Amino acid sequence: MISNADLLTEKRPIPVSIKLGLLTVILAFLVLANLLGGTRWLSPALLMQLFEPPGNSHELLVLQARLPRLLIGLLAGMALAVAGTVIQALCRNPLADPGLLGVNAGASASLVTLSLLPVAAEWGLFWQALPGALLASACVYMLSLLQHASGQSQAPVRLILAGAAISAVLGAYVQARVLLNPQLFDGFRYWMAGSLAGLRWADVHALWPYLIPSAITLWLLSPGLNLLLLDRSTALSLGASLQRHSVLAWLSATLLCAAATAVVGPLAFVGLASGHLARAWLPQSFQLLLPGTALIGAGLVLLADLMARTLLPPRELLTGILIAALGAPFLYISARSAAGERSAS
């Protein structure tokens, strides 16, 4: 018989709307902190003048210069986080990351190659990074299909091994090109580490046209992505088109990674950490996971960027370094948890 004390101590689940609202409040706080914080903290009263025409106030000019950097951090964090969550579902591996598809390495290889061509200067960073990202992703997909045709390992293992091989080869190529070309090294050393410094409104306009269509596509595919979490026979019996959903989701995730990587560089661990935190905090439904993951990813990038600008003033650290420092312990904890679950089963 249940007593009144048991009823009082029983934990009730937190509604999903409250969880998403809490994530939104945390992100809003980080947005304000990134606008006002930096090598010099500004007055909150300046927010009332943010969208006014630039005046003679140096603080107002600084605040308006921080706005595009803030928007790019939001968009890039959302893109990498959503792509990471989708890739983890496609690979059926909780330790998967956007770099698993070779997208980051492919985008880097494409940039260091095409940047040397005079005609490529007019294309913009996204169009310079996209060919390599798509080619690397296609190579990973085809290698997994070839291994499947030869009756080798299971699909998640095939994707992981193929992605690791492609990333290693392309990473070695990028390092060789950069080290052998001092001028290229000077231009790409900050980008390769991942940085939001020096970004302007032109970078914002170069990013959002590719992120929004890809995000909408993944949102429309979310019911099918839920079925992909099931085993193959159950998903097929429920009417899921596994190949079509997988290819469209893969392509959308590739575009998200390519666009974000082209502008801010390869920010590691954003997709990995955001996907894990979203699944631990929200129900296992992509209609809820995608917006929740986007909020977490954007908050993670903004937190790292704020730390990069405030830890060692007046110097500024690279955002990618702070994200790696925050994400490395999380990767270790995730690997231990995954190993514990496998041993328990």
Side-chain angles (χ1 to χ4, degrees):
M1 185 174 180
I2 301 177
S3 63
N4 292 333
D6 294 333
L7 291 175
L8 292 175
T9 57
E10 182 181 359
K11 294 183 178 180
R12 296 182 179 180
I14 302 175
V16 177
S17 58
I18 294 181
K19 293 181 178 180
L20 291 176
L22 181 59
L23 291 176
T24 304
V25 171
I26 295 175
L27 182 59
F29 173 79
L30 289 172
V31 167
L32 291 177
N34 272 263
L35 277 176
L36 301 176
T39 55
R40 179 181 178 183
W41 287 84
L42 303 178
S43 170
L46 290 174
L47 295 175
M48 303 299 296
Q49 311 172 34
L50 181 59
F51 297 101
E52 294 182 0
N56 297 324
S57 173
H58 173 71
E59 292 185 342
L60 183 57
L61 292 176
V62 171
L63 185 64
Q64 292 172 339
R66 290 177 181 174
L67 185 58
R69 177 172 181 162
L70 167 68
L71 294 177
I72 291 175
L74 284 171
L75 294 175
M78 290 179 177
L80 294 173
V82 169
T85 303
V86 172
I87 290 170
Q88 289 167 9
L90 294 176
C91 298
R92 298 176 181 270
N93 190 317
L95 299 180
D97 188 75
L100 177 69
L101 294 181
V103 176
N104 292 344
S108 302
S110 183
L111 276 171
V112 299
T113 301
L114 296 179
S115 62
L116 300 177
L117 301 178
V119 67
E122 303 177 358
W123 295 355
L125 286 177
F126 174 77
W127 293 108
Q128 293 181 39
L130 183 61
L134 292 177
L135 182 60
S137 184
C139 288
V140 173
Y141 188 72
M142 294 190 66
L143 282 175
S144 66
L145 290 180
L146 289 175
Q147 292 183 357
H148 177 65
S150 60
Q152 296 182 21
S153 54
Q154 297 179 353
V157 179
R158 290 197 305 271
L159 288 173
I160 293 170
L161 293 178
I166 294 296
S167 298
V169 171
L170 293 177
Y173 167 76
V174 170
Q175 291 182 3
R177 289 296 300 268
V178 170
L179 292 177
L180 294 176
N181 191 327
Q183 183 179 0
L184 191 63
F185 175 77
D186 291 336
F188 279 87
R189 57 179 177 173
Y190 292 108
W191 178 87
M192 292 178 63
S195 175
L196 273 66
L199 299 177
R200 297 293 181 261
W201 284 108
D203 300 299
V204 178
H205 297 315
L207 186 59
W208 71 263
Y210 310 105
L211 300 187
I212 294 180
S214 300
I216 292 176
T217 301
L218 290 175
W219 173 259
L220 296 177
L221 291 174
S222 55
L225 293 175
N226 289 332
L227 296 179
L228 289 177
L229 298 177
L230 307 174
D231 61 89
R232 183 178 181 85
S233 58
T234 303
L236 290 175
S237 65
L238 294 175
S241 178
L242 296 182
Q243 185 174 3
R244 181 172 65 89
H245 282 84
S246 298
V247 171
L248 288 176
W250 190 314
L251 180 60
S252 298
T254 300
L255 291 176
L256 288 175
C257 292
T261 302
V263 176
V264 302
L267 298 179
F269 298 115
V270 176
L272 173 65
S274 303
H276 274 277
L277 292 175
R279 283 192 298 271
W281 182 247
L282 298 170
Q284 305 304 305
S285 171
F286 275 92
Q287 288 91 337
L288 299 173
L289 283 178
L290 291 182
T293 302
L295 294 173
I296 294 174
L300 178 60
V301 173
L302 292 186
L303 175 61
D305 192 45
L306 179 63
M307 294 174 62
R309 290 186 284 134
T310 56
L311 285 181
L312 296 174
R315 297 179 179 179
E316 180 175 322
L317 301 175
L318 295 179
T319 307
I321 295 177
L322 268 298
I323 290 180
L326 294 174
F330 183 85
L331 176 62
Y332 175 76
I333 295 173
S334 300
R336 290 291 301 270
S337 300
E341 291 176 0
R342 287 194 298 268
S343 61
S345 60

